[in-house]
Amino acid sequence: MAVHKALLIASVLAWLITPAFAQTSPPALSGNYLPQVLASSEAHRESLERLIAGKPGLPYWIRSLTRQSRYVALASEEVTVRAKPMQLFRACEAGRCEASWLRILYSADGKRGLLYIFDDKLGIKIFGDPLPEELSFLTRG
């Protein structure tokens, strides 16, 4: 009985002390790749799917972003918009990067996404109703 009591006390103390010393940092918003983030984050994936769902004429590589990673993706960049960290991704169609590319800006939790597409046949398309400050990151060269 004394052993059980000692284990219980030790467990409670460990639980109480650990949060004071443990530093859990949020995931890095820069240096990530879109295919891995879409595969591992339901929030990012669902946000992107909402943006492109039912949009006619999108190139195949864009419509299949969440299912296939047959595109060129650069490492993400952390940007700050209205004092909030956001994650900016760049990607393009393999072999046609000058002619068909996109930028996706996500909130830190991935639940809000904004999409800017340039395609030589489609033109420019913007999805997600970005604020002017967000749009400036989506349109930067």
Side-chain angles (χ1 to χ4, degrees):
M1 187 66 137
V3 173
H4 292 299
K5 198 175 210 177
L7 287 174
L8 178 62
I9 290 170
S11 296
V12 169
L13 287 174
W15 179 79
L16 290 172
I17 293 170
T18 300
F21 297 108
Q23 293 288 327
T24 57
S25 58
L29 297 180
S30 61
N32 302 295
Y33 291 89
L34 190 58
Q36 288 80 17
V37 170
L38 293 174
S40 64
S41 170
E42 186 175 340
H44 287 82
R45 189 172 49 258
E46 287 179 353
S47 177
L48 178 58
E49 288 171 348
R50 280 192 304 273
L51 288 172
I52 62 177
K55 305 296 191 293
L58 293 179
Y60 178 77
W61 76 273
I62 293 174
R63 285 183 286 131
S64 64
L65 280 171
T66 60
R67 296 182 313 277
Q68 299 174 353
S69 58
R70 294 183 183 167
Y71 52 92
V72 177
L74 299 177
S76 65
E77 173 186 351
E78 182 175 335
V79 298
T80 303
V81 179
R82 291 187 173 189
K84 293 185 180 177
M86 297 188 82
Q87 190 171 31
L88 179 65
F89 289 94
R90 293 175 179 86
C92 64
E93 183 178 9
R96 297 189 66 236
C97 283
E98 293 292 321
S100 190
W101 52 268
L102 61 77
R103 293 193 180 110
I104 303 172
L105 186 63
Y106 281 109
S107 59
D109 63 6
K111 293 181 180 178
R112 180 167 184 262
L114 306 160
L115 179 61
Y116 180 96
I117 298 170
F118 171 82
D119 184 81
D120 60 354
K121 297 173 188 150
L122 180 65
I124 294 173
K125 298 289 181 187
I126 301 170
F127 302 109
D129 198 25
L131 300 170
E133 298 89 346
E134 294 166 330
L135 187 60
S136 72
F137 283 105
L138 290 169
T139 59
R140 279 190 189 163

